[in-house]
Amino acid sequence: MAGRPREFDKQQALRKAMRLFWEHGYEGTSMSALVSALGIASARIYAAFGSKQQLFEEAVALYESAEGGFADRALALPDIHQALTQMFEDAISTYTRADEPRGCLVVSAASGVAPDNLAVQQWLSGHRRQRTESIVERLRQAREQGQLPADTQVEALGHFYATFLHGISVQARDGVPAHDLREASRQALTLLPNTQG
């Protein structure tokens, strides 16, 4: 057994990598930083995950199933007003936590990249578009269920709320306090039509 490399916990390593990418972005996270944080040699990182990009994609999947999964959970709530209110509240709580990097990993990890990393940027862009589509679809469903007036422009409203959601991430990363983001969220939600009104 002499010389055999120590076993490592792949999920634990993935969580450490996720935090690094979340805090420093894709390009800002070097292989040497990953080696240091994960406590294993770069050759073992490549053996376990394939490449830095594949490690990043697995880290994003972990983020979306945990910290970043709040939007899917909120949008599953039966009432559209409750769903959007919860989505924004959870975004603000997640993006301004003192013990985690600020903002959203998917929004901030590759906003600007070198030409070699355009594929990463485009991959993340696809994830953000999926979020927009999920909000539009949830609004469409609410309109069909009579929770929103029949003439509600769900496409425009969905794009607005997705833009606002992604903007919360940018503002949180810039240090805007949670209280101010909650006030802005309350204003944004006044645009949601009410069938009683």
Side-chain angles (χ1 to χ4, degrees):
M1 291 290 188
R4 182 175 177 174
R6 181 174 55 86
E7 289 301 313
F8 74 100
D9 183 328
K10 187 174 178 181
Q11 279 303 110
Q12 187 179 55
L14 192 56
R15 176 153 284 282
K16 289 178 181 177
M18 179 195 78
R19 203 178 191 288
L20 271 183
F21 286 127
W22 191 357
E23 188 168 2
H24 302 293
Y26 181 77
E27 287 191 353
T29 301
S30 64
M31 276 307 296
S32 61
L34 287 165
V35 166
S36 176
L38 275 56
I40 56 174
S42 58
R44 295 193 72 201
I45 294 174
Y46 288 121
F49 299 101
S51 67
K52 179 183 171 183
Q53 183 172 339
Q54 286 172 296
L55 171 58
F56 176 71
E57 289 176 4
E58 285 196 45
V60 169
L62 176 63
Y63 171 80
E64 290 180 329
S65 71
E67 289 90 339
F70 64 83
D72 287 333
R73 293 188 288 271
L75 292 174
L77 293 171
D79 177 75
I80 188 61
H81 293 79
Q82 183 188 10
L84 291 176
T85 299
Q86 191 66 54
M87 180 177 73
F88 292 138
E89 174 54 36
D90 290 348
I92 293 164
S93 297
T94 300
Y95 298 163
T96 61
R97 277 174 52 179
D99 60 336
E100 293 287 5
R102 288 187 165 248
C104 172
L105 170 63
V106 175
V107 171
S108 62
S111 53
V113 294
D116 287 352
N117 293 320
L118 280 176
V120 174
Q121 187 180 52
Q122 290 165 353
W123 184 78
L124 285 175
S125 175
H127 279 249
R128 291 190 295 272
R129 284 194 302 273
Q130 286 173 1
R131 172 58 57 223
T132 300
E133 288 162 13
S134 73
I135 295 171
V136 170
E137 182 53 39
R138 182 65 186 85
L139 288 164
R140 184 177 291 114
Q141 182 185 55
R143 184 179 63 185
E144 289 169 358
Q145 293 171 344
Q147 293 183 24
L148 296 173
D151 62 352
T152 301
Q153 300 296 310
V154 294
E155 288 274 348
L157 199 56
H159 280 276
F160 170 76
Y161 283 132
T163 300
F164 184 78
L165 177 65
H166 296 147
I168 291 173
S169 170
V170 176
Q171 294 284 78
R173 200 155 177 101
D174 286 348
V176 175
H179 170 78
D180 293 346
L181 296 172
R182 287 189 176 99
E183 288 296 314
S185 172
R186 277 191 276 275
Q187 288 299 312
L189 288 164
T190 64
L191 297 177
L192 191 62
N194 196 310
T195 49
Q196 277 74 47

